[in-house]
Amino acid sequence: MEPILDSTIEVRSYLGPADERTLADDVLDGLTRPLKELPPKHLYDARGSELFDAICELPEYYQTRTERLILRTQAQTIVARTSAVELVELGSGSADKTRVLLDAMEAARTLRRYVPVDVSETTVHAVAERLVEEYPGMSVHGVVGDFERHLTHLPSPLGPRLFVFLGGTIGNFPPGSRRRFLRGLRKVMGPDDHLLLGTDLVKDPRIIEAAYDDSAGVTAQFNLNVLHVLNRELGANFDVDRFEHVAFFDRKREWIEMRLRATEQQHVRVEALDLDVEFAPREELRTEISAKFTPERLRSDLAAAGLELVELYTDPNKLFTVSLSRLG
Ligand SMILES: C[S@@+](CC[C@H](N)C(=O)[O-])C[C@H]1O[C@@H](n2cnc3c(N)ncnc32)[C@H](O)[C@@H]1O
């Protein structure tokens, strides 16, 4: 198929007042539980997205460079195997590693469209503008939305699609929601489509914990930023300096948790919700889990969603894996 000649950008946002409600509902629900908790998507405002990009450059954060290495080694094979003309990326962020795949599609002369899907509006716009310049002839259809709720708004396919979900983001779902998410994704995939999924592997917990608690303190800033989001968006009065970043690997569940620990007793008011929240000294608020996988768990999660594993690409040190699957 020949690439289209006109480069075009279209960005549609599906986030609206209902999503402000989502934040409000998540906070009301999460801060009134016995173990206080917030979903990780609220970590990614514009500042949070910048901090995440900085994390990806840290020496301790092996995930990004390992996944990039795997993609560099395998991109040509993946593109040949899938014949994809379109790349749909969930949680696209700054789409840095995506270029490796787009380059391979361009070299194979199949590349027609890139569809980034992310909750961070500024990121989707910036990526759309940058990538149409870098790939003449490719169009971009950005979707500003929640990949748990807005996948039905993807544009109609132009041909075989490669869905990509990188960075180990799938690990942020607890196991039940992970399977529900994969089933939802399978429903929007067609028989010619493939899914390329990046997952972090179970390994020595010290390596994992260092990746989420770096010596420069960038991950701590990223984690604490969610309190600034609540202060700004919901008129809360968190004293950010009285919380500290915590990361630990839960060996039984094989996931890492990020939490924010109150350094002393405190009372927080969330004005928009008319909510008063008490934190006991050392009480913790969970802000993210990131599950680590074995190949067996990955295969069974995919199978439970009706997806068949085609290939597993892993680095020589078995730190990270990128799997290719299709409808089973
Ligand atoms: C861990 S980062 C990964 C970014 C990039 N894919 C990478 O591999 O470096 C997660 C990305 O998913 C986005 N995200 C998180 N939750 C989301 C949701 N529910 N819907 C859409 N995007 C989401 C964040 O804004 C962020 O860009």
Side-chain angles (χ1 to χ4, degrees):
M1 214 171 300
E2 282 300 304
I4 54 167
L5 295 175
D6 288 334
S7 292
T8 49
I9 303 184
E10 184 174 344
V11 176
R12 297 215 176 163
S13 177
Y14 298 95
L15 300 180
D19 294 281
E20 280 158 31
R21 283 269 21 107
T22 309
L23 173 66
D25 289 346
D26 287 346
V27 171
L28 183 59
D29 183 40
L31 293 190
T32 54
R33 288 186 193 174
L35 167 60
K36 296 182 172 65
E37 179 164 30
L38 291 172
K41 68 180 167 201
H42 303 305
L43 292 162
Y44 295 92
D45 66 342
R47 172 87 183 124
S49 300
E50 269 173 32
L51 286 166
F52 179 75
D53 284 346
I55 289 172
C56 291
E57 303 292 322
L58 294 168
E60 293 95 335
Y61 202 77
Y62 59 87
Q63 290 96 312
T64 307
R65 60 175 177 274
T66 311
E67 191 177 37
R68 184 180 289 117
L69 173 78
I70 298 171
L71 293 175
R72 279 207 187 117
T73 318
Q74 304 295 346
Q76 229 184 325
T77 313
I78 294 165
V79 167
R81 214 162 174 155
T82 60
S83 313
V85 303
E86 181 169 358
L87 198 154
V88 180
E89 181 166 23
L90 311 181
S92 42
S94 58
D96 228 30
K97 287 162 291 184
T98 319
R99 288 178 174 77
V100 177
L101 294 165
L102 293 173
D103 286 347
M105 288 168 75
E106 189 178 50
R109 298 183 57 76
T110 59
L111 179 62
R112 295 187 65 191
R113 184 165 64 187
Y114 174 55
V115 182
V117 180
D118 204 288
V119 274
S120 169
E121 177 148 21
T122 41
T123 312
V124 174
H125 279 280
V127 158
E129 274 159 35
R130 202 156 6 102
L131 292 190
V132 282
E133 280 195 12
E134 284 180 32
Y135 296 91
M138 178 187 80
S139 66
V140 176
H141 182 121
V143 174
V144 180
D146 186 331
F147 49 53
E148 289 191 79
R149 295 186 298 124
H150 298 127
L151 291 187
T152 48
H153 295 295
L154 296 177
S156 311
L158 298 174
R161 294 176 295 185
L162 181 60
F163 283 77
V164 301
F165 195 26
L166 301 179
T169 310
I170 184 83
N172 294 151
F173 292 106
S177 317
R178 178 160 77 224
R179 290 194 173 188
R180 189 176 57 228
F181 167 78
L182 286 172
R183 279 199 303 274
L185 180 54
R186 185 207 181 278
K187 275 197 198 133
V188 298
M189 286 172 66
D192 295 332
D193 297 336
H194 284 80
L195 168 65
L196 193 66
L197 183 64
T199 41
D200 199 8
L201 293 173
V202 172
K203 63 182 75 62
D204 181 343
R206 285 170 300 184
I207 299 177
I208 302 176
E209 283 177 350
Y212 290 82
D213 194 9
D214 62 279
S215 53
V218 184
T219 316
Q221 280 183 59
F222 171 70
N223 194 8
L224 287 162
N225 181 57
V226 77
L227 301 182
H228 290 295
V229 172
L230 269 47
N231 285 350
R232 185 185 65 232
E233 301 294 328
L234 299 175
N237 66 352
F238 281 97
D239 182 347
V240 179
D241 293 337
R242 294 200 293 161
F243 285 85
E244 61 191 12
H245 168 70
V246 177
F248 67 93
F249 187 66
D250 181 330
R251 286 170 167 71
K252 185 158 161 263
R253 298 190 174 90
E254 296 188 316
W255 69 42
I256 186 129
E257 294 201 8
M258 288 207 311
R259 296 183 175 198
L260 291 170
R261 181 188 292 144
T263 54
E264 57 200 280
Q265 163 92 32
Q266 43 199 298
H267 172 95
V268 177
R269 169 95 185 139
V270 187
E271 204 55 51
L273 302 176
D274 190 18
L275 177 71
D276 293 288
V277 187
E278 294 300 326
F279 281 86
R282 300 187 64 75
E283 185 176 346
E284 293 175 349
L285 158 66
R286 184 160 70 180
T287 50
E288 182 177 289
I289 63 159
S290 180
K292 307 305 167 193
F293 289 77
T294 56
E296 297 69 38
R297 181 176 311 145
L298 180 59
R299 192 185 297 271
S300 75
D301 278 349
L302 290 168
L307 291 162
E308 177 196 0
L309 188 63
V310 177
E311 200 68 67
L312 259 189
Y313 307 107
T314 305
D315 61 292
N317 297 322
K318 298 195 169 38
L319 295 173
F320 200 92
T321 194
V322 174
S323 60
L324 186 68
S325 52
R326 64 174 170 226
L327 300 199

